[in-house]
PDB file of all heavy atoms in Angstrom:
ATOM      1  N   HIS K 291     125.749  12.057-117.753  1.00 97.00           N
ATOM      2  CA  HIS K 291     125.625  13.300-116.986  1.00 97.00           C
ATOM      3  C   HIS K 291     126.186  14.486-117.759  1.00 97.00           C
ATOM      4  O   HIS K 291     127.139  14.350-118.529  1.00 97.00           O
ATOM      5  CB  HIS K 291     126.253  13.184-115.596  1.00 97.00           C
ATOM      6  CG  HIS K 291     127.734  12.936-115.571  1.00 97.00           C
ATOM      7  ND1 HIS K 291     128.659  13.970-115.604  1.00 97.00           N
ATOM      8  CD2 HIS K 291     128.457  11.797-115.495  1.00 97.00           C
ATOM      9  CE1 HIS K 291     129.877  13.453-115.534  1.00 97.00           C
ATOM     10  NE2 HIS K 291     129.791  12.128-115.488  1.00 97.00           N
ATOM     11  N   ASP K 293     127.140  17.523-116.302  1.00 97.00           N
ATOM     12  CA  ASP K 293     128.115  18.374-115.613  1.00 97.00           C
ATOM     13  C   ASP K 293     129.537  17.841-115.803  1.00 97.00           C
ATOM     14  O   ASP K 293     129.746  16.673-116.148  1.00 97.00           O
ATOM     15  CB  ASP K 293     127.784  18.506-114.113  1.00 97.00           C
ATOM     16  CG  ASP K 293     127.793  17.165-113.377  1.00 97.00           C
ATOM     17  OD1 ASP K 293     127.403  16.151-113.976  1.00 97.00           O
ATOM     18  OD2 ASP K 293     128.201  17.134-112.201  1.00 97.00           O
ATOM     19  N   GLU K 323     135.414  12.964-122.479  1.00 97.00           N
ATOM     20  CA  GLU K 323     135.213  11.567-122.084  1.00 97.00           C
ATOM     21  C   GLU K 323     134.170  11.462-120.975  1.00 97.00           C
ATOM     22  O   GLU K 323     133.304  10.605-121.006  1.00 97.00           O
ATOM     23  CB  GLU K 323     136.542  10.944-121.605  1.00 97.00           C
ATOM     24  CG  GLU K 323     136.346   9.517-121.107  1.00 97.00           C
ATOM     25  CD  GLU K 323     137.643   8.804-120.772  1.00 97.00           C
ATOM     26  OE1 GLU K 323     138.237   8.223-121.684  1.00 97.00           O
ATOM     27  OE2 GLU K 323     138.069   8.840-119.603  1.00 97.00           O
ATOM     28  N   ASP K 324     134.267  12.338-120.013  1.00 95.00           N
ATOM     29  CA  ASP K 324     133.442  12.295-118.807  1.00 95.00           C
ATOM     30  C   ASP K 324     132.492  13.485-118.795  1.00 95.00           C
ATOM     31  O   ASP K 324     132.837  14.526-118.286  1.00 95.00           O
ATOM     32  CB  ASP K 324     134.361  12.303-117.572  1.00 95.00           C
ATOM     33  CG  ASP K 324     133.605  12.184-116.278  1.00 95.00           C
ATOM     34  OD1 ASP K 324     132.443  11.768-116.316  1.00 95.00           O
ATOM     35  OD2 ASP K 324     134.177  12.526-115.228  1.00 95.00           O
ATOM     36  N   ASN K 325     131.347  13.408-119.373  1.00 97.00           N
ATOM     37  CA  ASN K 325     130.676  12.215-119.833  1.00 97.00           C
ATOM     38  C   ASN K 325     130.072  12.441-121.223  1.00 97.00           C
ATOM     39  O   ASN K 325     129.143  11.772-121.628  1.00 97.00           O
ATOM     40  CB  ASN K 325     129.633  11.859-118.789  1.00 97.00           C
ATOM     41  CG  ASN K 325     128.993  10.504-118.872  1.00 97.00           C
ATOM     42  OD1 ASN K 325     127.888  10.341-118.448  1.00 97.00           O
ATOM     43  ND2 ASN K 325     129.629   9.503-119.462  1.00 97.00           N
ATOM     44  N   GLU K 358     126.366  14.999-111.359  1.00 94.00           N
ATOM     45  CA  GLU K 358     126.996  13.707-111.056  1.00 94.00           C
ATOM     46  C   GLU K 358     128.307  13.891-110.323  1.00 94.00           C
ATOM     47  O   GLU K 358     128.692  13.089-109.490  1.00 94.00           O
ATOM     48  CB  GLU K 358     127.229  12.919-112.355  1.00 94.00           C
ATOM     49  CG  GLU K 358     127.608  11.459-112.133  1.00 94.00           C
ATOM     50  CD  GLU K 358     129.101  11.223-111.938  1.00 94.00           C
ATOM     51  OE1 GLU K 358     129.903  12.127-112.284  1.00 94.00           O
ATOM     52  OE2 GLU K 358     129.483  10.155-111.440  1.00 94.00           O
ATOM     53  N   GLU K 359     129.008  14.984-110.636  1.00 91.00           N
ATOM     54  CA  GLU K 359     130.362  15.152-110.110  1.00 91.00           C
ATOM     55  C   GLU K 359     130.393  15.580-108.648  1.00 91.00           C
ATOM     56  O   GLU K 359     131.420  15.476-107.992  1.00 91.00           O
ATOM     57  CB  GLU K 359     131.141  16.165-110.968  1.00 91.00           C
ATOM     58  CG  GLU K 359     131.278  15.760-112.436  1.00 91.00           C
ATOM     59  CD  GLU K 359     132.191  14.547-112.634  1.00 91.00           C
ATOM     60  OE1 GLU K 359     132.694  13.997-111.645  1.00 91.00           O
ATOM     61  OE2 GLU K 359     132.376  14.156-113.805  1.00 91.00           O
ATOM     62  N   PRO K 386     127.018   4.698-119.246  1.00 97.00           N
ATOM     63  CA  PRO K 386     128.316   4.633-119.935  1.00 97.00           C
ATOM     64  C   PRO K 386     129.312   5.628-119.346  1.00 97.00           C
ATOM     65  O   PRO K 386     129.759   6.547-120.012  1.00 97.00           O
ATOM     66  CB  PRO K 386     127.947   4.989-121.388  1.00 97.00           C
ATOM     67  CG  PRO K 386     126.756   5.888-121.249  1.00 97.00           C
ATOM     68  CD  PRO K 386     126.036   5.498-119.988  1.00 97.00           C
ATOM     69  N   ASP K 387     129.676   5.432-118.085  1.00 95.00           N
ATOM     70  CA  ASP K 387     130.515   6.413-117.394  1.00 95.00           C
ATOM     71  C   ASP K 387     131.719   5.777-116.703  1.00 95.00           C
ATOM     72  O   ASP K 387     132.371   6.405-115.892  1.00 95.00           O
ATOM     73  CB  ASP K 387     129.661   7.177-116.365  1.00 95.00           C
ATOM     74  CG  ASP K 387     130.350   8.453-115.890  1.00 95.00           C
ATOM     75  OD1 ASP K 387     131.248   8.943-116.592  1.00 95.00           O
ATOM     76  OD2 ASP K 387     129.991   8.944-114.809  1.00 95.00           O
ATOM     77  N   PHE K 388     131.996   4.515-117.022  1.00 93.00           N
ATOM     78  CA  PHE K 388     133.142   3.843-116.420  1.00 93.00           C
ATOM     79  C   PHE K 388     133.433   2.655-117.303  1.00 93.00           C
ATOM     80  O   PHE K 388     132.520   2.041-117.840  1.00 93.00           O
ATOM     81  CB  PHE K 388     132.811   3.390-114.988  1.00 93.00           C
ATOM     82  CG  PHE K 388     134.014   3.045-114.165  1.00 93.00           C
ATOM     83  CD1 PHE K 388     134.833   4.041-113.653  1.00 93.00           C
ATOM     84  CD2 PHE K 388     134.332   1.715-113.895  1.00 93.00           C
ATOM     85  CE1 PHE K 388     135.948   3.719-112.889  1.00 93.00           C
ATOM     86  CE2 PHE K 388     135.444   1.388-113.131  1.00 93.00           C
ATOM     87  CZ  PHE K 388     136.252   2.398-112.624  1.00 93.00           C
ATOM     88  N   ALA K 580     139.406  10.753-117.412  1.00 86.00           N
ATOM     89  CA  ALA K 580     138.445  11.666-116.819  1.00 86.00           C
ATOM     90  C   ALA K 580     139.122  12.485-115.728  1.00 86.00           C
ATOM     91  O   ALA K 580     139.978  11.968-115.019  1.00 86.00           O
ATOM     92  CB  ALA K 580     137.290  10.871-116.217  1.00 86.00           C
ATOM     93  N   HIS K 581     138.750  13.746-115.615  1.00 90.00           N
ATOM     94  CA  HIS K 581     139.237  14.665-114.568  1.00 90.00           C
ATOM     95  C   HIS K 581     140.705  15.059-114.774  1.00 90.00           C
ATOM     96  O   HIS K 581     141.246  15.814-113.979  1.00 90.00           O
ATOM     97  CB  HIS K 581     139.061  14.086-113.153  1.00 90.00           C
ATOM     98  CG  HIS K 581     137.625  13.792-112.814  1.00 90.00           C
ATOM     99  ND1 HIS K 581     137.150  13.801-111.535  1.00 90.00           N
ATOM    100  CD2 HIS K 581     136.566  13.490-113.587  1.00 90.00           C
ATOM    101  CE1 HIS K 581     135.856  13.490-111.533  1.00 90.00           C
ATOM    102  NE2 HIS K 581     135.493  13.303-112.774  1.00 90.00           N
TER     103      HIS K 581
HETATM  104 ZN1   ZN X 805     131.413  10.873-115.068  1.00 92.10          ZN
END
Side-chain angles (χ1 to χ4, degrees):
H291 63 87
D293 60 325
E323 177 173 274
D324 183 18
N325 193 208
E358 192 273 343
E359 300 291 2
D387 196 20
F388 196 75
H581 300 207

